[in-house]
Amino acid sequence: MTAVQVNGHVSSGFEPIADAFADNFRHRGDTAASCVVYARGAPVVDIWAGQTARGAWTPNARTVVFSVSKGVTTVCLLMAAERGLIELDAPVAKYWPEFAENGKETTTVRQLLAHRAGLAAPEADLTWEDLRAWTPVADTLARQAPAWTPGTAYAYHALTFGWLAGEVLRRATGLRPAQWLRQHVADPLDLTMTFGADPTSADFHPLADPLPSTDPEAAAIMAAAFAEPMIERSISLGGVVDPARIIQDANEEPWLSAEIPAGNLVTDARSLARLYAATVGEVDGVRLLGPEIVRDALVVRSEGRPFVGPDMSSGWGTGFMTSSGHRPMIGPGSFGHDGLGGCLAFAHLEPEIAFAYQTAQPGGLPDDRANALSHALRACL
């Protein structure tokens, strides 16, 4: 059992979250983490604990949060849609004419965001230079035929989601996700949040090696999934990324030097919770999304057995992960996204709640740390 000193502030009534947070260190393998909760635009939980290889963990410690990135990229797209710059149900080709090839003429922006476009993996092999240049990846996806008729099935677009959504944003607004994020989200809300980072910066903390799995059956299911060529290519992008080392390699310059809007957001829990709080209410006078577009994005578009791979009991609306057996969050109406390794950020409109959990210790299988914190938050409400 690991002793832990939990630092920070917990408002009255939210103490169970701090208890669950400490239990994550005692019983679930956490070594460095933060948890932040906003209620009606103000922080009610802001706690942190632990150490990494770079030293003591602080509330400003930044890490790669993997697919938590997708939720943030979705916020950027929905902001543009709410401003009339993007129609979610319009064909992608309206903004990106080159996309109208090989049976993709009627594929909609919403289908891209709901993992229904049939472009989960690139057919062409890519390089780090391609990823850093952006356009070669977008061009590859625009040329290729979908793996299924768009809209008729879904499969998780692990990394291609970022270039698909990001190129629509760029064509419609002139700004790539990193630029929109800085100008319209991070600067107005005073967030520390970027796609990619300098791995030598003082506030960047490397992710630890993943904890070993304690469930051989779950590990076998995941191993079988990665043996599927489409799933393997969805992560490897044709060999540029090593799926077996993605957590370790996320600490290194190649991964951090590209703009990967589906997977290399570098941030802290304070920034994530503050961003999501501004999607359900005002935060210091800033609101990112109105309730109508949030409710529209919450309509479940993809769930059940995917086109390829196991049913992970996850559900997606328009870009956001929704409440499901895998990630109940605080129940129906919750929206956000989790990330490889265990991080989670989400919000809920009615109680105007926003939540973020950030860890530098990637979990094994099963990994109940974020769900334990979500359960404690739900009990507080």
Side-chain angles (χ1 to χ4, degrees), residues 76-355:
C76 296
L77 268 288
L78 294 179
M79 289 175 71
E82 193 171 36
R83 297 178 188 196
L85 302 173
I86 294 173
E87 291 182 61
L88 295 173
D89 293 308
V92 172
K94 175 178 178 179
Y95 309 102
W96 183 2
E98 298 91 333
F99 191 84
E101 288 190 29
N102 288 316
K104 304 193 302 300
E105 294 83 358
T106 61
T107 303
T108 67
V109 176
R110 195 185 298 276
Q111 288 167 347
L112 291 189
L113 295 176
H115 302 271
R116 304 185 71 81
L119 300 169
E123 289 180 345
D125 290 350
L126 299 169
T127 67
W128 283 116
E129 290 73 20
D130 293 333
L131 270 61
R132 282 190 287 267
W134 181 273
T135 303
V137 186
D139 289 347
T140 291
L141 296 171
R143 285 192 299 265
Q144 76 182 54
W148 61 85
T149 301
T152 64
Y154 89 97
Y156 189 52
H157 289 47
L159 291 177
T160 59
F161 177 98
W163 281 279
L164 293 168
E167 185 65 4
V168 171
L169 184 70
R170 185 181 79 85
R171 296 296 184 107
T173 72
L175 300 177
R176 288 202 331 219
Q179 296 167 313
W180 185 283
L181 178 65
R182 183 182 67 251
Q183 294 181 27
H184 297 292
V185 180
D187 286 353
L189 284 167
D190 193 23
L191 309 181
T192 305
M193 181 177 287
T194 56
F195 291 113
D198 177 357
T200 68
S201 59
D203 62 352
F204 178 82
H205 282 247
L207 301 172
D209 287 336
L211 294 170
S213 173
T214 58
D215 186 339
E217 183 178 352
I221 290 171
M222 293 306 296
F226 277 99
E228 293 271 4
M230 184 185 297
I231 294 178
E232 190 279 333
R233 286 189 69 87
S234 76
I235 300 294
S236 72
L237 299 176
V240 65
V241 178
D242 181 353
R245 286 194 47 84
I246 190 169
I247 287 174
Q248 297 91 334
D249 290 348
N251 299 321
E252 304 298 331
E253 189 273 339
W255 179 265
L256 293 168
S257 64
E259 179 180 351
I260 307 175
N264 79 341
L265 188 73
V266 177
T267 189
D268 54 66
R270 281 180 171 175
S271 294
L272 284 168
R274 188 170 170 87
L275 179 151
Y276 271 99
T279 67
V280 294
E282 283 195 5
V283 177
D284 294 333
V286 177
R287 182 160 188 165
L288 300 179
L289 297 174
E292 288 187 11
I293 197 160
V294 170
R295 291 191 184 99
D296 176 68
L298 281 173
V299 176
V300 175
R301 310 285 175 174
S302 299
E303 63 181 343
R305 181 160 294 280
F307 182 81
V308 65
D311 178 4
M312 300 302 292
S313 299
S314 297
W316 283 272
T318 301
F320 291 127
M321 180 179 282
T322 57
S323 178
S324 66
H326 171 61
R327 284 291 183 226
M329 297 180 257
I330 58 171
S334 304
F335 64 95
H337 220 289
D338 65 3
L340 178 69
C343 295
L344 174 66
F346 67 84
H348 196 296
L349 268 174
E350 276 64 36
E352 290 186 28
I353 286 289
F355 167 97

